Amino acid sequence: MEIRFREFDPFNCWLWLRFSNPPGQGERGYIETTLDSWFFLGKLGGFNAENLQVHEEGAEVSWMGYDAETAERAMPALMHNMGEIEYQGSWARCWLDLGTSDGFALDVLINTLRQIDSDVVQIEELLVGGANEDWPVEDHPESLFPVGAPDA
């Protein structure tokens, strides 16, 4: 799976996936569940590189002391919004407002998609940001609602 970053605006970001073949319903289910789960974790502040105490401790975490004050001092890193996942032929795309989450969130997503590419469905490339000439986008899609939000 090739991974490329294009013009990147965290508050108006499109993720583009190109598959070897158009994905079937089962394969779409894996992709959609992955993106929904990743977004929910991000919306709840799970991707905050300012507070990686366990990771920074190293391999031995038995009896590690977790510092709640350090966690409280970390700046919140919250994703704000995610649109519906759309498909067109061998392509899928999803609009995101990554809010104040940091690059750690994208690393987690990339690692997950690499495993899906290996185990479930072949993903030729992941494009982060930018737009595709043959599939126009709006700057801020007005018809999109946060995942799980009631239609307003």
Side-chain angles (χ1 to χ4, degrees), residues 127-148:
L127 303 173
V128 180
N132 288 0
E133 289 179 13
D134 59 346
W135 197 356
V137 300
E138 299 173 12
D139 283 340
H140 298 278
E142 293 176 16
S143 64
L144 302 177
F145 296 96
V147 172

Side-chain angles (χ1 to χ4, degrees), residues 7 11 29 38 41 44 48 50 64 124:
E7 184 178 345
F11 302 104
W38 174 75
L41 288 173
L44 295 171
N48 190 339
E50 275 192 51
M64 176 190 142
E124 292 293 327

